[in-house]
Amino acid sequence: MPGEDFDIRPAAQDDLPALLALYRHLNADDPEVPTDIAAERFAEITAQPGMTVLIGLSGEALTSSVTLVMIPNLTRGGAPYALIENVVTHLDYRKRGHARALIRHAFASAWQQGCYKVMLLTGSKDPATLAFYEGCGFTQDKTGFQVRRPPEI
């Protein structure tokens, strides 16, 4: 578990530069998002009902983040469901329980809002990553599919 100085809260506009720097630890090869576009996208994210970027802080350092999206639903008695995306921990803070604490916080938020399940997809095949998610409480009992936008569109 993280130390006493670890705090979890929703990201705010002032956190954006540190959040963008943290995302470099997720996909270092991704093109950097220009500052004005990043600010616009972040405003869209924070305005979206049910969508929260949760951040973990160790003292003043932004160490980790997850994005939680809660989606209204017309099945399962109208119970919403949730998705977790963009799970990332700064390289210097890995193996300290930060991401696990954020995921558990996201679970609690989803359960509080009546979600009947929380889903997560990972592109990682690394056994340690898969074991980490299983240790958080996820089960690998569904088959996920995706389609990516073709480059010509």
Side-chain angles (χ1 to χ4, degrees):
M1 273 319 220
E4 287 181 24
D5 68 336
F6 187 73
D7 189 35
I8 296 173
R9 64 172 172 78
Q13 188 70 36
D14 290 346
D15 298 312
L16 187 56
L19 184 62
L20 293 173
L22 177 66
Y23 284 161
R24 304 304 301 159
H25 293 266
L26 180 62
N27 294 307
D29 295 334
D30 273 0
E32 290 195 33
V33 180
T35 305
D36 58 332
I37 292 174
E40 185 179 308
R41 293 293 182 273
F42 187 75
E44 291 170 1
I45 288 167
T46 57
Q48 185 71 36
M51 188 169 190
T52 307
V53 177
L54 295 169
I55 57 172
L57 298 129
S58 185
E60 297 294 316
L62 199 161
T63 65
S64 48
S65 179
V66 303
T67 299
L68 175 66
V69 183
M70 291 182 268
I71 302 162
N73 189 22
L74 290 173
T75 64
R76 303 289 180 160
Y81 59 94
L83 300 172
I84 290 179
E85 183 64 47
N86 296 334
V87 177
V88 60
T89 300
H90 190 287
L91 289 173
D92 294 343
Y93 291 89
R94 291 190 179 163
K95 308 268 189 219
R96 297 185 191 183
H98 293 200
R100 184 179 313 275
L102 277 168
I103 287 171
R104 288 186 175 153
H105 187 93
F107 287 167
S109 296
W111 306 149
Q112 183 179 17
Q113 293 302 311
C115 292
Y116 80 94
K117 70 177 176 181
V118 178
M119 297 183 291
L120 173 139
L121 293 173
T122 180
S124 177
K125 306 288 187 235
D126 180 351
T129 301
L130 302 179
F132 165 74
Y133 287 128
E134 288 174 352
C136 289
F138 288 101
T139 57
Q140 204 173 4
D141 58 357
K142 292 212 173 211
T143 302
F145 293 91
Q146 71 169 342
V147 62
R148 300 239 176 184
R149 178 182 171 170
E152 66 275 0
I153 294 179

